Amino acid sequence: MSDVPEASNREEVEENTPEPEEQSDDSSDDGEASGDTEMDFLRNLFSKTLGISGEKVLDELTLEGVASYIQSGKCKNIICMVGAGISTSAGIPDFRSPDTGLYANLQKYNLPYPEAIFQIDYFKKHPEPFFALARELYPGQFKPTVCHYFIKLLKDKGLLKRCYSQNIDTLERVAGLEGEDLIEAHGTFYTSHCVSFMCRKEYDLDWMKEKIFSDDIPKCDKCSNLVKPDIVFFGENLPKRFFTSMAMDFPRCDLLIIMGTSLQVQPFAALVGRVSNSCPRLLINLEKAGGADPILGIISIGGGMDFDSAKAYRDVAHISTCDDGCLELAELLGWKAELEEMVKREHEKINSKAEEEQTNQSSGAAGKAESGKAESGKGELLV
């Protein structure tokens, strides 16, 4: 399961979904970082209003220009923003594609409308559709993509500041990113909690997996309320860490790489405007996204990206699949062979582990069957 729900009838859903407020942390460091971020935002706003562009750091607005910048040694704090598009080649559907997207294939669940499957109020009354869908798309059934491993390669080379993901499929973790490397903006299946505010008991991935695949609706051992994976439904706030990390990370970012997202879901989409005026922004996607608002763009206000105007100076759109774009960038950086070897090696490990687990399960099932026969034989002897 990937990206957080992106509503086809977005205006209706977003009107009924309270936007999460930025949550402050008690620490003075976070408070100072948040203050610095707001000052940066105001500086950017005034600069754009006055028509003052940031410093141009790319030699050219192409993938080659981005590669040259990375190789220059000036780029040390890369932030990746990713959405469902980085997981589609793993076999996980995105949400919005007309024929193959998730929302286009939910008829069998008899929902009042497709987005209901991710509405918290609907879930509390009718959890069955969500858990049936979760069983189909549960983490552990898919392997990370080339794009996931490219992000891991950035980490290995000491260039990744953080990866901000809209996805809930945990493939970033499977690829080797740690919790500290990740901001799972729309939550994750990695942990689950009881929905009762009086309880909130936590459960791990294995516990939830066992419940889902045994066709049980997960109920809390402590209070018998529903247990829900820690993914963000419509009607719920984003994780607190999203806001506190955003305030610290984006002012320090010196290259923003956006991959596989339509940049339509807020507040995630607004992150593109949180970097400094001079920070280059690379979009790798099947279509252009995140463009400036047409009205605000006339007066140079807003954080949207500018790929094509005469004023464009830092935004690059590379139109391709995420995997192909990452392979092309890796080749320009001289990393392609290393990336391909990483993908091959890690996929072999995943396949080997899956085969081992299947063998163990088969052995366990055979053992239970033999034990049952033995017990049956004893009964016959007693008769």
Side-chain angles (χ1 to χ4, degrees):
M1 228 169 138
S2 201
D3 190 283
V4 98
E6 291 188 304
S8 56
N9 188 3
R10 183 169 314 287
E11 293 180 1
E12 178 182 339
V13 173
E14 289 184 349
E15 283 176 6
N16 295 324
T17 305
E19 286 196 11
E21 297 179 357
E22 295 192 20
Q23 303 178 47
S24 61
D25 192 270
D26 291 336
S27 71
S28 59
D29 288 345
D30 287 351
E32 290 173 5
S34 179
D36 290 344
T37 302
E38 296 309 319
M39 287 301 297
D40 287 335
F41 175 77
L42 289 173
R43 290 190 192 100
N44 290 346
L45 179 62
F46 289 141
S47 295
K48 290 169 184 173
T49 304
L50 296 172
I52 303 172
S53 298
E55 178 188 358
K56 183 177 181 179
V57 299
L58 297 180
D59 295 332
E60 54 182 291
L61 299 181
T62 62
L63 202 63
E64 289 80 4
V66 173
S68 177
Y69 174 54
I70 294 173
Q71 290 174 319
S72 73
K74 298 176 183 177
C75 178
K76 299 176 181 177
N77 292 290
I78 298 175
I79 291 178
C80 293
M81 289 174 57
V82 299
I86 74 166
S87 295
T88 52
S89 65
I92 302 174
D94 64 12
F95 282 80
R96 303 178 70 250
S97 294
D99 298 318
T100 60
L102 185 63
Y103 284 147
N105 292 280
L106 293 177
Q107 299 91 340
K108 60 186 173 183
Y109 298 119
N110 298 314
L111 300 166
Y113 49 93
E115 297 82 10
I117 202 165
F118 294 114
Q119 286 277 10
I120 188 62
D121 291 337
Y122 185 85
F123 169 80
K124 288 179 179 178
K125 296 175 183 176
H126 308 285
E128 296 82 6
F130 170 78
F131 285 115
L133 177 65
R135 189 159 51 250
E136 290 184 40
L137 302 175
Y138 201 76
Q141 304 178 77
F142 307 95
K143 291 192 283 286
T145 66
V146 169
C147 185
H148 289 99
Y149 288 114
F150 179 78
I151 299 169
K152 174 60 163 57
L153 197 55
L154 289 176
K155 175 192 173 179
D156 291 348
K157 294 184 178 296
L159 297 174
L160 182 69
K161 177 67 178 176
R162 206 94 63 194
C163 176
Y164 282 70
S165 177
Q166 291 175 286
N167 299 337
I168 56 175
D169 52 36
T170 74
L171 288 182
E172 295 92 355
R173 292 178 183 265
V174 178
L177 296 189
E178 305 289 339
E180 181 60 26
D181 305 317
L182 268 174
I183 302 297
E184 292 158 317
H186 295 161
T188 177
F189 266 96
Y190 198 68
T191 55
S192 301
H193 282 84
C194 174
V195 299
S196 169
F197 289 109
M198 301 297 291
C199 178
R200 300 298 293 162
K201 183 177 178 180
E202 181 174 315
Y203 296 87
D204 63 19
L205 185 65
D206 290 336
W207 182 92
M208 179 58 73
K209 182 177 181 179
E210 181 183 347
K211 295 293 183 183
I212 287 177
F213 283 94
S214 63
D215 291 331
D216 289 339
I217 297 299
K219 296 289 185 68
C220 180
D221 300 334
K222 185 177 178 182
C223 70
S224 298
N225 272 295
L226 285 170
V227 176
K228 182 183 79 67
D230 291 340
I231 64 174
V232 180
F233 278 24
F234 289 122
E236 294 185 306
N237 287 343
L238 271 63
K240 181 178 179 181
R241 187 165 171 259
F242 170 83
F243 297 102
T244 55
S245 296
M246 171 190 74
M248 294 183 288
D249 290 346
F250 279 80
R252 297 177 173 89
C253 177
D254 47 30
L255 174 62
L256 183 63
I257 302 179
I258 305 128
M259 298 184 282
T261 172
S262 61
L263 291 175
Q264 292 188 20
V265 176
Q266 298 291 354
F268 187 88
L271 293 179
V272 299
R274 285 280 180 172
V275 295
S276 73
N277 258 12
S278 298
C279 178
R281 301 180 293 192
L282 168 64
L283 174 72
I284 300 176
N285 204 38
L286 288 174
E287 59 186 10
K288 291 179 182 178
D293 181 276
I295 303 301
L296 295 179
I298 294 174
I299 54 175
S300 298
I301 294 179
M305 292 188 286
D306 179 5
F307 302 114
D308 303 310
S309 83
K311 295 182 180 179
Y313 69 99
R314 61 164 173 164
D315 295 328
V316 178
H318 185 77
I319 306 304
S320 73
T321 67
C322 296
D323 288 351
D324 288 346
C326 286
L327 280 171
E328 289 181 54
L329 182 55
E331 184 170 24
L332 291 168
L333 292 166
W335 303 350
K336 185 177 181 182
E338 187 178 357
L339 176 58
E340 289 177 331
E341 175 57 32
M342 176 186 283
V343 174
K344 180 181 177 183
R345 181 180 67 248
E346 296 302 318
H347 280 189
E348 285 175 352
K349 285 183 183 178
I350 293 170
N351 290 337
S352 177
K353 184 179 178 181
E355 288 172 6
E356 183 180 341
E357 289 178 354
Q358 188 171 5
T359 300
N360 291 338
Q361 288 174 0
S362 299
S363 299
K368 287 181 180 179
E370 289 299 323
S371 176
K373 288 179 181 178
E375 290 297 326
S376 176
K378 288 180 185 177
E380 290 173 5
L381 289 174
L382 287 173
V383 172

